[in-house]
Amino acid sequence: MKKIYIYAASVVFALAALEMQAQDRKQPVPGPAPVVHVGQPTTFTLKNGMKVMVVQNTKLPRVSYTLTIDNPLVYDGDKAGVSSILSQMLGNGTKKMSKDKFLEEIDFLGARINFHTGGASANGLSKHNETILNLLADGVLNSVLTQEEFDKAKAKALEGVKSGENSVTQIARRVESAVLYGKKTPVGEFETEKTINNVTFADVQAYYKKYYSPENAYLVIVGDVDYKKTEKAIKSQFEGWAKANTQFAESNYNGNVKATEINFVDMSNAVQSEISLVNEVELKMTDKDYFAAILANQILGGGGEGRLFLNLREAHGWTYGAYSSIGTTRKYPGKFRAGASVRNVVTDSAVTEFIKEIDLIRNTPVKEEELKLAKAKYVGNFVMEIQKPATVATYALYKELYNLPGDFYENYIKNINAVTVADVQAAAKKYFLKDNMRIVIVGKGADVLPGLEKLGYSIKYYSKEADEVAKPELNKALPAGVTISSVVDKYLNAIGGEKKAAEVKSIAVTSSAEVQGMKLESITKIKEGYILSEQKMMGNTMSKQVVTPKGGYALVQGQKMELTGDKLKEVQQEATIFSELKLKGDKSATITGVESLDGKEAVGIKVGKTVSYYDLASGLKVATVMTQEQGGQVMNMTTKYSDYRDVKGVKVPFKQVLNVGIEIINIVTDLKINEGVSDADFK
């Protein structure tokens, strides 16, 4: 069956376009620097070491609590996942209240209360302040951990890990941290199915007792509260929280490489390459060049006006966005990172442009106008944020955590404006280590490695688990006797036979998926020469496409566009149910070779701009990759097929995963063969 969900991607492109428009807005011209007065919270410290900060704000009748347990990082090793499982269990019942009663109390108040291994948070109406505080304290001090909740949390953690195993983006992020900091460190380790299965209920109980304690805790209260009453209530609730006096082990991190190298992970399902150029940095907010460093990063890749964005997206059209960041941390080395998701065919070219831009800002003074715009953005954001009571509380917490001087934020604008062009260049040289970077790339080796090998960098190869491995085998030999005809015959036999497939004159499919937290409903109807594909969100049509032998149109966000020329011909070719019935006689079809897809060998057959992959063992179609232009961007869209089920003697996939940089998982909820389709559907 043809790929019938490809047009769901239009929703993603529409959302991305809106985001790009927001990023393309010009920054305001800087005006006179305003005088900033940063409010100070009232603070006190409990006998157990917990520090409390109260910011009174009577503008709204609300209150919020944020508890931060600032422990050193912990390496979980072969039990990575114990802390995330515990986070799911906290607050599900206490020694005083059952789970249902506890949650009912929160709902009755219209409040929100959350618990996790790094602390807790709560917010609601200030008239319920005392009750909210009681519930928060009860959950922190008296959470009851049960085997039942452990089993649920562990199952959820396993599901999360499994769902991300084929996500190129998730694999890229975890390998990036693992190779930069070291896989056997608190920052570089990650959860796997194996490590989660190693976690026991006893492990979670021990973790809670050992690390959930007050000696490194900060409680921040913001809202319309009476200080004296709140102080008394907090002391009453939390002074009984006993210290754990836990000793923490120090971690040794990898450090930067002696010479820039490529760290490559081969993922055959990658429709784009995930690129990140990273190096460790020792940058603190108290360093003299801190402000120069963040402004250098802003100019290089801090937003839509950054050099990386203007180069890779605007000038070349290789990506939807290219950015950089520089981080300050207290518990482990910070990180400079520049990255983007790019089309496979331009992966090596994109790496070259990243290096060029980093080299340029290191060795050539930036323009005064660039620096002015970067300063304007930081000053504007700072002035807007400082008006919020929650920001006052956050800044007070940062002063404690980062050991900042008392006037750090009062002098923030002055320090930003004092940065010179020479300061920016010096910071770029110090922190953007062009010659000591790891260029971490996750992509399809067959498409991108030949180009990367010509760049001249040493290449190390890694598995999805961040273990160093041998160079992947890219061009696998085609088994003897495998031809287009043999592949097609095996596929048709696998789905029920050529005769049964030919008897299918129409198909109507309803499916659902989730896109960025919203439900996407899809309706697809096909008969020979005709196709209807419609996507809805919250009852509204987001996109619709109708194709007939005489013409076609696309409807995207209410705008109708007639399909003409080559575009019309392309979509008319899609208007067939089983294209394999015509494939043996198609002289334009070619075999692309054998590739490994999710651990199984599959042979690819290319027709036009689409490559379809068929499992060598089962014969079933397991994926299609279509090259498509959308919004001026040329990209590959992959659809994976699984969960084949028999409908009227023909097997069809009930699960299809569309990958356009993000994954859209379509689950079929209704499928009709030779019914449910009429001529009226294609008007």
Side-chain angles (χ1 to χ4, degrees), residues 200-219:
T200 66
F201 182 37
D203 294 327
V204 174
Q205 291 174 307
Y207 195 104
Y208 179 52
K209 183 178 180 180
K210 190 175 183 181
Y211 299 118
Y212 210 71
S213 61
E215 53 260 49
N216 296 313
Y218 298 83
L219 180 62

Side-chain angles (χ1 to χ4, degrees), residues 40-42 52-67 122-126 129 132-133 136 219-227 230 234 387-397:
Q40 299 297 324
T42 306
V52 183
M53 305 175 193
V54 182
V55 178
Q56 290 177 284
N57 174 40
T58 59
K59 291 182 179 180
L60 292 173
R62 297 193 64 82
V63 62
S64 69
Y65 292 84
T66 303
L67 174 68
N123 64 77
L125 294 173
S126 53
N129 178 37
I132 292 172
L133 177 59
L136 176 70
L219 180 62
V220 178
I221 303 101
V222 180
D224 185 13
V225 297
D226 180 280
Y227 174 77
T230 302
I234 289 172
Q387 309 301 319
K388 304 173 183 177
T391 300
V392 173
T394 300
Y395 287 171
L397 179 60

Side-chain angles (χ1 to χ4, degrees), residues 110-127:
R112 289 186 178 182
I113 303 181
N114 297 295
F115 302 90
H116 50 87
T117 51
S121 63
N123 64 77
L125 294 173
S126 53
K127 67 180 181 180

Side-chain angles (χ1 to χ4, degrees), residues 16 34 57 77 123 130 155 180 182 194 277 288 320 331 334 349 379 440 471 480 490 496 507 661 668:
N57 174 40
N123 64 77
E130 184 177 348
L180 178 63
K194 181 179 179 180
L277 294 83
K288 291 182 179 180
Y320 283 112
K331 303 177 184 180
S349 299
V379 170
V440 183
K471 180 180 177 179
K490 191 169 186 177
I507 188 166
V668 173

Side-chain angles (χ1 to χ4, degrees), residues 306-506:
R307 291 180 175 185
L308 294 176
F309 189 95
L310 295 175
N311 182 331
L312 277 79
R313 182 186 186 275
E314 296 298 322
H316 289 101
W318 292 340
T319 179
Y320 283 112
Y323 307 98
S324 64
S325 61
I326 188 166
T328 58
T329 65
R330 299 171 300 106
K331 303 177 184 180
Y332 58 93
K335 174 171 67 176
F336 166 74
R337 180 184 190 276
S341 301
V342 305
R343 292 182 288 122
N344 292 342
V345 70
V346 297
T347 301
D348 55 329
S349 299
V351 171
T352 299
E353 292 303 312
F354 270 111
I355 294 293
K356 184 184 81 172
E357 292 293 354
I358 293 171
D359 190 55
L360 181 64
I361 198 169
R362 283 167 48 91
N363 296 306
T364 304
V366 300
K367 297 176 182 178
E368 285 284 357
E369 187 62 26
E370 287 181 296
L371 182 54
K372 286 181 181 178
L373 288 174
K375 289 179 178 180
K377 182 166 185 176
Y378 266 96
V379 170
N381 288 342
F382 178 78
V383 172
M384 289 179 63
E385 289 298 313
I386 204 65
Q387 309 301 319
K388 304 173 183 177
T391 300
V392 173
T394 300
Y395 287 171
L397 179 60
Y398 283 178
K399 286 181 182 180
E400 294 287 339
L401 298 181
Y402 292 91
N403 196 27
L404 303 178
D407 59 355
F408 180 86
Y409 290 106
E410 281 79 4
N411 290 329
Y412 189 93
I413 295 176
K414 182 180 73 174
N415 288 330
I416 284 286
N417 286 331
V419 174
T420 66
V421 168
D423 294 334
V424 168
Q425 186 174 350
K429 276 183 172 290
K430 183 177 179 180
Y431 296 111
F432 307 164
L433 305 184
K434 179 185 76 74
D435 299 319
N436 307 96
M437 286 184 164
R438 290 177 170 86
I439 305 173
V440 183
I441 302 174
V442 179
K444 188 174 181 179
D447 291 349
V448 306
L449 271 178
L452 293 176
E453 290 170 343
K454 296 177 183 178
L455 296 181
Y457 297 109
S458 170
I459 302 179
K460 293 181 179 178
Y461 303 95
Y462 290 86
S463 67
K464 293 191 297 183
E465 291 72 36
D467 295 318
E468 193 168 352
V469 296
K471 180 180 177 179
E473 183 182 354
L474 302 181
N475 298 308
K476 298 180 181 179
L478 194 67
V482 173
T483 64
I484 291 177
S485 293
S486 69
V487 172
V488 171
D489 287 340
K490 191 169 186 177
Y491 165 74
L492 292 173
N493 288 334
I495 65 171
E498 184 172 351
K499 181 180 178 182
K500 279 290 185 181
E503 290 174 354
V504 178
K505 304 302 181 184
S506 71

